[in-house]
Amino acid sequence: MVRSVEITMEVLLGKTLQELQDVALAVGLKRFAGKQLAEWIYVRRATSFDEMTNISLAGRKALSEQYTIGRHKPVAQAESQDGTKKYLFVAETPKGKQFVECVYIPADDDRATLCVSTQAGCRMGCKFCMTGAQGFHGHLSAADILNQIFSVPESALLTNLVYMGEGEPMDNIGPVLRSLEVMTADYGCGWSPHRITVSTVGAGEGLDRFLKESECNLAISLHNAFPEERATIMPAERLRSIRQVLNWVGQQDFRHQRRLSFEYIVWHGKNDTMRHAQELRRLVAPFSPQCRVNLIRFHAAPEGQRPYGQTSPETLRFPATDERQMQWLCDYLNDNGVTTTIRRSRGEDILAACGMLAGNPALAQSLQE
């Protein structure tokens, strides 16, 4: 019996200019062809070597025999009644093929934001998050992160990126930084880093590297200003206290560079009281007026639509606060010098709102069979 051998092609998407120059030399081209590759892949968004008409036919043939660009379309999509769209991608991880989601969010002011994933699942284990409930299934490569950005149908319309989809970006910092370099470098997409925001619960050395190696905006998932209470819903607090995180962040200069924001999901009686409001104000006051607090409505997964068949009983203990209390908290913080907004909820009907991304297990199973 003859067994077929699957040949794995090296992916070019996500490579730096230096690496693309090395690729050019490896297939017998001149070093300057590396710059041509970068332009075709990152600027012109080529999906095949045949499009690269200023590279010799022999060079294109050599490239196609050893490399692949790494672009692939989403395998499914869903559209919300508010215009938000969710896309499902297949990603190759060290744990095999996984299914990850990203969300396209159009706005009335001509902004168009893409919320991208950096991992399949997440190992931070936040008790209120559908992504955390599915567990961790693998890191995404820089190619798989960038492919979400390049391959959604609205790619050319994008004005902003938020790394707030599945996963903890700082837990996969190498590929995340590589993708940010491609998006902001002159040889890549040339975006201003101020158009990109990366979210974190405050995870370890990854945050240190991000602050040193990138100028993109930072969003800290806070959700409770009391460390002991935060630890009950966000296990990462036990590894690195929010006070330690903010002490380190406070040593960085945010005045003329990146923007700092705090994400705060609001639950009735759990973090929306006067006691919580006062501690939140005290905690973020050293960063005012440059920082912003974003208040977020809690989105519970509807019965029968929880990830991978789980009942997610933890989420049932988190009742969302009402609109009146949400507005009170917003007004209190603004009146006390902390710029605060209530984030508009988008895509909840297609499980695309904050904390709801968890892949599509039914579709994933059908595609694997």
Side-chain angles (χ1 to χ4, degrees):
M1 178 179 179
V2 179
R3 295 184 179 180
S4 61
V5 178
E6 183 177 349
I7 300 175
T8 302
M9 308 283 278
E10 189 172 347
V11 175
L12 297 187
L13 186 64
K15 287 189 180 296
T16 64
L17 177 58
Q18 176 65 54
E19 290 169 337
L20 290 173
Q21 290 171 336
D22 291 341
V23 166
L25 293 174
V27 297
L29 295 169
K30 300 293 186 181
R31 179 173 291 275
F32 69 79
K35 182 68 185 304
Q36 293 174 318
L37 283 171
E39 181 176 357
W40 279 110
I41 296 170
Y42 300 134
V43 180
R44 302 193 186 187
R45 307 292 177 91
T47 59
S48 74
F49 293 113
D50 291 338
E51 298 174 55
M52 303 180 182
T53 52
N54 60 351
I55 296 177
S56 69
L57 187 61
R60 281 179 272 161
K61 183 175 184 297
L63 285 166
S64 66
E65 290 172 347
Q66 300 179 49
Y67 300 94
T68 179
I69 293 177
R71 291 282 303 280
H72 53 90
K73 296 179 179 179
V75 296
Q77 71 177 71
E79 183 169 358
S80 168
Q81 58 188 4
D82 63 25
T84 300
K85 296 179 182 179
K86 182 170 70 170
Y87 294 98
L88 183 73
F89 284 92
V90 179
E92 292 286 351
T93 77
K95 294 188 175 184
K97 288 185 178 180
Q98 303 294 336
F99 294 84
V100 296
E101 297 174 335
C102 68
V103 179
Y104 169 72
I105 310 166
D108 296 334
D109 57 1
D110 293 328
R111 286 188 306 162
T113 301
L114 189 71
C115 177
V116 302
S117 294
T118 57
Q119 295 175 315
C122 183
R123 56 184 174 187
M124 296 299 104
C126 296
K127 304 299 183 183
F128 48 85
C129 180
M130 279 182 66
T131 307
Q134 69 163 292
F136 175 69
H137 301 287
H139 296 299
L140 298 191
S141 66
D144 279 319
I145 295 172
L146 289 168
N147 183 64
Q148 297 170 65
I149 302 167
F150 286 15
S151 295
V152 294
E154 298 82 8
S155 181
L157 303 177
L158 297 178
T159 62
N160 297 82
L161 294 174
V162 291
Y163 283 50
M164 297 182 182
E166 293 183 47
E168 163 56 55
M170 307 306 173
D171 190 38
N172 189 27
I173 191 60
V176 165
L177 286 173
R178 181 178 285 264
S179 70
L180 293 176
E181 177 180 338
V182 167
M183 290 304 303
T184 58
D186 290 340
Y187 71 79
C189 299
W191 277 36
S192 165
H194 298 164
R195 295 168 60 186
I196 305 173
T197 299
V198 181
S199 177
T200 182
V201 298
E205 296 180 1
L207 176 58
D208 301 344
R209 284 192 60 189
F210 173 78
L211 292 173
K212 293 174 181 177
E213 300 177 36
S214 171
E215 295 181 4
C216 293
N217 300 325
L218 176 66
I220 297 177
S221 296
L222 183 56
H223 311 314
N224 198 307
F226 292 104
E228 62 279 9
E229 294 183 20
R230 189 171 185 260
T232 65
I233 60 173
M234 303 176 71
E237 171 68 28
R238 302 189 187 100
L239 300 177
R240 196 181 200 192
S241 169
I242 188 61
R243 290 174 180 168
Q244 292 177 300
V245 171
L246 295 188
N247 180 60
W248 171 247
V249 171
Q251 298 176 36
Q252 314 305 310
D253 183 6
F254 283 82
R255 290 172 296 178
H256 305 296
Q257 299 180 28
R258 74 182 93 240
R259 183 175 66 247
L260 175 65
S261 58
F262 296 93
E263 310 298 301
Y264 197 87
I265 298 175
V266 190
W267 295 288
H268 174 66
K270 291 184 176 293
N271 65 352
D272 65 347
T273 69
M274 175 59 78
R275 180 175 68 91
H276 290 95
Q278 291 174 335
E279 185 64 11
L280 176 57
R281 177 185 60 80
R282 188 198 67 77
L283 191 67
V284 304
F287 302 96
S288 293
Q290 288 79 24
C291 77
R292 175 185 299 271
V293 172
N294 293 314
L295 301 181
I296 304 170
R297 296 174 179 84
F298 176 57
H299 306 106
E303 193 69 45
Q305 298 186 49
R306 295 181 178 130
Y308 296 89
Q310 298 177 12
T311 57
S312 303
E314 291 283 358
T315 64
L316 303 179
R317 300 191 297 107
F318 294 88
T321 197
D322 59 33
E323 294 298 320
R324 182 177 179 180
Q325 191 68 6
M326 177 87 80
Q327 190 61 55
W328 169 83
L329 179 57
C330 182
D331 292 343
Y332 172 85
L333 292 171
N334 278 310
D335 291 345
N336 284 275
V338 177
T339 302
T340 305
T341 59
I342 297 175
R343 181 183 292 171
R344 180 184 172 192
S345 181
R346 301 290 297 271
E348 186 174 4
D349 56 323
I350 57 170
L351 303 186
C354 181
M356 302 188 83
L357 298 188
N360 186 322
L363 179 58
Q365 183 64 35
S366 68
L367 290 172
Q368 288 175 327
E369 293 176 349

